[in-house]
Amino acid sequence: MPKHARLLMLWSALALLPIANAVFIVLERGANRPFAEEWFDSALVAIATHDGTLTLQQLLTPQNDYPHFTTKLFVALHTPLTRYDLRLDMLLGVAMSAATLLIVIYLVGRQDRGMALLLAPLLSALIFTPRQAVNWLTGFQNVYFAFVLCVALIVLVIEVLPISWRALWLAALLTIFGALALGVAPFYWLSGLMALWLRGYRSWRHYAVWLALSALLTAHFLASLSTPQNPSLLLSRLDLVLSFAVAFLGSPLAFIPRLWLGLALGLVGIGLFVANGLLLWRWRAEWLRVWAVLAFFSALSALVTAYGRWFHFDGVSAYPLAERYVTNGVPFWLALVAVSASNWLLARQGAPLNFEGLPRAVAAFISWLRRHSHRLNGVMWAGLGASLALSLILAQVRYLPDEKPVGECLRTLPLTRDFECAVRLGAGKSNFLPVLARADQLAVRRLGVFAQEPAVELGSERVAVPLEYIGAGTPSGESPDSRFTTWQIDGEAQRVFLQQPPATQDWTVWFQRVGAPTDFEAALYVAPSESAPSVTFRLYGQALSHGLTVLEPRRLLLEARYNPRERSEPMPIRVSLAPFLNRSIRLMLLLETDGAAGAQAMWIEPRL
């Protein structure tokens, strides 16, 4: 083997280093614990697998609009062997990224083997950028890696296999699998449609089948949404949608989460891809089609995510640069690297540009690009390397959370009932109570972290959970002041929910399914003063249905009047929530005064 060939092989072997770094991060910082949505899908799948009650419907049921099918399927397969060790879910994400890297290197190698070996370390550094470390350390987020892998496989199948029904059906099966992984059929199918057209599929029968399957998956996606979508939102805030999408595309290289940096990188990347795409189109168009599809996939991901999330984006926030979005933005940069390298190779070989059929102005512009492409791409390659290097350095302090402490608090949660721990495990969402219940179920079955020795005993079945841990409260428009605080009552500090109404005021608390007999307990109190009015305390309950979007008629659960001129001690209450057993619910805490302002009304230690 010639010396330069050996050096090239050694250089390409550097592609293993980013993979090794990702594995190290998972093993060093990952914790064997469910997190956020995992309490509601993969943990339940592990329990059902252990009990022998798992059904196909459970694998396909969406959670928070996403089926997470690949995660749940993998959990069902490995739970009998690992007793639900979630570190395997994390390593699965790394393994799927490695498979994506192999496909991309193979597709580059179909153009030129030497170029594939030369680009391998850079492609690996992009695919395994630590900017997405949160996805590695959260088991259920391996669906993002599954999604990108399915796109790469679809491109591979359509590109490599001859135009045929076999290739079409195989690509369709991969598309179905990917759509069930992340539940984003409306744009996912468009990438395959583009790949088919660029590959040379021209039979109307092929497209009829593809569009029919696309319609079915799109209908399934829309039916699974828990929140109805309003198409007018897209046009009403088109500026924010586009800003979000551009920053989304720049996120893989945004080594610090600053909106201006994401927008700048996104704009530069789009401009460079258009310029390089025009050149490659006139140099060798068949080399462009694979990378055009990958770039198109990332652009559509950016637009759909922006549409779904624009209401969180106020024009200043760095929300589109969130780590979990990096994975779907990476294919855009992979495509840009491949296209620019292809142009460099063809220019070096002296390949002639094809200007046939082009207007004179367009041909002149492409000629100008040809003369200056080495400068443009040189700046891009330098910036790309600098961004990846800075991302790797900053990852140690910014991108790599240490999940071990959270895993350790879970180990004793069934006994300690550590509310702060449960809130962190539930990602701060309104799923606090199910975390406690699910931890008990896993502990009883010795699954997950509870498979270790020694065994963990369960605490009392009935646990008083302070209301402030249940979920976020929503005040009415008339609420001047509602907050949890500490209040001195008879010389003793009490944790209270304070409401200071001028006339009427309510506070709505949303939380998920009531899965066991539950009571609402508190004590009512109005701080004495010369002007303190009588206050009427009311508690309403309202069941939710159809994906937490339809509210049933509310029912009055409590009405109590407190007159501070006649009573000085707290008034204990206990209200059963039995009417809402096995239902999702919201509670409304409402006050009404006799008209005088200045009441210091409070619910003392409100809890379930």
Side-chain angles (χ1 to χ4, degrees):
M1 179 183 295
K3 183 178 179 180
H4 75 276
R6 289 198 301 270
L7 290 175
L8 193 57
M9 292 294 291
L10 289 173
W11 168 259
S12 66
L14 293 177
L16 297 175
L17 293 181
I19 303 175
N21 182 56
V23 173
F24 174 78
I25 289 171
V26 169
L27 297 180
E28 178 68 18
R29 296 177 177 263
N32 183 21
R33 54 87 183 103
F35 184 73
E37 281 89 343
E38 283 177 306
W39 292 105
F40 301 94
D41 52 25
S42 75
L44 289 176
V45 168
I47 291 169
T49 301
H50 175 275
D51 296 346
T53 59
L54 183 64
T55 64
L56 180 60
Q57 181 181 2
Q58 189 172 350
L59 292 176
L60 297 176
T61 300
Q63 174 59 43
N64 195 22
D65 296 341
Y66 298 128
H68 298 148
F69 174 74
T70 52
T71 299
K72 291 187 284 189
L73 178 61
F74 188 65
V75 166
L77 293 173
H78 77 68
T79 292
L81 302 175
T82 67
R83 302 200 63 79
Y84 190 43
D85 192 330
L86 281 158
R87 288 167 296 191
L88 264 72
D89 290 38
M90 303 172 200
L91 290 172
L92 177 64
V94 176
M96 289 190 290
S97 293
T100 301
L101 174 62
L102 289 175
I103 292 172
V104 172
I105 291 175
Y106 173 77
L107 290 171
V108 175
R110 279 171 57 85
Q111 298 175 190
D112 185 270
R113 183 173 179 273
M115 187 171 70
L117 295 175
L118 188 65
L119 294 182
L122 181 57
L123 296 173
S124 180
L126 274 169
I127 291 177
F128 289 94
T129 171
R131 281 277 290 119
Q132 59 191 341
V134 169
N135 292 351
W136 294 336
L137 298 173
T138 307
F140 77 94
Q141 292 192 172
N142 61 29
V143 293
Y144 290 102
F145 304 110
F147 194 42
V148 172
L149 175 59
C150 283
V151 171
L153 285 170
I154 291 166
V155 171
L156 179 68
V157 165
I158 293 176
E159 184 67 22
V160 172
L161 295 182
I163 296 175
S164 63
W165 280 107
R166 182 183 65 165
L168 182 96
W169 283 113
L170 183 54
L173 288 174
L174 288 168
T175 306
I176 292 171
F177 190 79
L180 292 177
L182 199 54
V184 279
F187 77 91
Y188 187 43
W189 281 83
L190 291 174
S191 300
L193 198 66
M194 181 179 183
L196 291 171
W197 180 261
L198 293 178
R199 177 66 175 86
Y201 282 79
R202 293 296 183 267
S203 171
W204 68 268
R205 294 180 179 85
H206 292 148
Y207 290 99
V209 169
W210 193 269
L211 292 174
L213 291 174
S214 171
L216 289 175
L217 277 187
T218 302
H220 176 267
F221 166 76
L222 295 175
S224 69
L225 290 178
S226 61
T227 305
Q229 301 296 308
N230 183 358
S232 65
L233 293 178
L234 180 61
L235 298 178
S236 65
R237 301 308 303 271
L238 187 60
D239 57 332
L240 294 187
V241 170
L242 293 177
S243 299
F244 189 112
V246 171
F248 180 107
L249 289 178
S251 65
L253 298 185
F255 48 87
I256 55 174
R258 295 292 184 270
L259 180 65
W260 64 266
L261 182 59
L263 286 170
L265 289 168
L267 288 171
V268 169
I270 292 170
L272 285 171
F273 187 85
V274 170
N276 279 284
L278 283 172
L279 276 175
L280 192 57
W281 171 51
R282 303 316 297 180
W283 246 322
R284 191 164 296 177
E286 68 272 16
W287 282 19
L288 176 62
R289 60 192 182 210
V290 167
W291 315 118
V293 173
L294 289 183
F296 183 61
F297 160 76
S298 285
L300 284 172
S301 297
L303 287 170
V304 171
T305 305
Y307 176 44
R309 296 292 191 179
W310 73 265
F311 46 83
H312 291 294
F313 183 50
D314 56 12
V316 179
S317 149
Y319 195 77
L321 275 68
E323 289 89 344
R324 66 179 174 276
Y325 296 146
V326 170
T327 304
N328 280 10
V330 163
F332 172 79
W333 295 96
L334 297 175
L336 178 54
V337 166
V339 169
S340 62
S342 299
N343 285 333
W344 169 80
L345 178 66
L346 291 170
R348 190 171 179 223
Q349 294 174 348
L353 283 170
N354 176 18
F355 296 109
E356 184 179 350
L358 290 180
R360 179 175 299 178
V362 176
F365 177 67
I366 293 178
S367 294
W368 181 88
L369 286 176
R370 166 67 184 87
R371 291 193 300 272
H372 297 280
S373 62
H374 62 285
R375 296 188 183 91
L376 293 174
N377 287 325
V379 173
M380 181 205 74
W381 287 79
L384 197 66
S387 293
L388 291 173
L390 287 171
S391 294
L392 183 61
I393 295 170
L394 293 176
Q396 305 306 316
V397 294
R398 184 180 296 274
Y399 310 134
L400 302 181
D402 189 355
E403 302 294 347
K404 292 290 178 66
V406 182
E408 292 167 3
C409 79
L410 171 61
R411 170 88 175 132
T412 56
L413 183 62
L415 185 60
T416 63
R417 303 304 186 191
D418 183 341
F419 300 134
E420 295 288 349
C421 170
V423 167
R424 285 190 290 164
L425 290 166
K429 299 182 180 181
S430 58
N431 49 19
F432 176 83
L433 288 178
V435 169
L436 292 178
R438 207 77 74 232
D440 286 352
Q441 293 173 315
L442 293 173
V444 167
R445 293 166 174 81
R446 304 292 301 278
L447 295 173
V449 70
F450 306 107
Q452 303 170 14
E453 296 293 345
V456 174
E457 297 181 1
L458 297 182
S460 169
E461 291 185 3
R462 292 186 63 83
V463 181
V465 180
L467 191 64
E468 60 190 292
Y469 287 103
I470 301 301
T474 305
S476 70
E478 301 174 358
S479 299
D481 192 1
S482 296
R483 67 185 187 276
F484 287 97
T485 186
T486 302
W487 200 271
Q488 291 287 333
I489 301 175
D490 295 333
E492 183 178 353
Q494 301 274 13
R495 190 66 177 166
V496 305
F497 177 62
L498 176 68
Q499 293 179 301
Q500 297 174 265
T504 62
Q505 178 177 14
D506 66 37
W507 183 268
T508 300
V509 178
W510 303 77
F511 59 97
Q512 299 199 17
R513 189 172 298 273
V514 179
T518 304
D519 297 326
F520 175 82
E521 297 181 8
L524 311 179
Y525 185 69
V526 179
S529 70
E530 293 182 0
S531 60
S534 295
V535 176
T536 299
F537 292 80
R538 292 192 179 92
L539 178 70
Y540 290 91
Q542 190 169 31
L544 292 80
S545 58
H546 299 292
L548 310 184
T549 59
V550 179
L551 303 179
E552 299 183 359
R554 69 181 186 177
R555 65 172 71 190
L556 181 65
L557 303 177
L558 168 76
E559 183 175 77
R561 187 178 182 84
Y562 191 104
N563 188 340
R565 292 184 293 275
E566 299 175 357
R567 186 185 183 105
S568 59
E569 70 279 0
M571 179 190 301
I573 62 166
R574 182 171 183 172
V575 181
S576 172
L577 300 185
F580 303 102
L581 188 61
N582 295 321
R583 305 291 303 278
S584 296
I585 181 178
R586 74 170 183 172
L587 291 179
M588 285 164 282
L589 285 68
L590 186 141
L591 301 181
E592 183 176 336
T593 67
D594 286 342
Q600 304 279 353
M602 61 197 76
W603 307 73
I604 302 174
E605 295 187 0
R607 58 201 178 275
L608 294 181

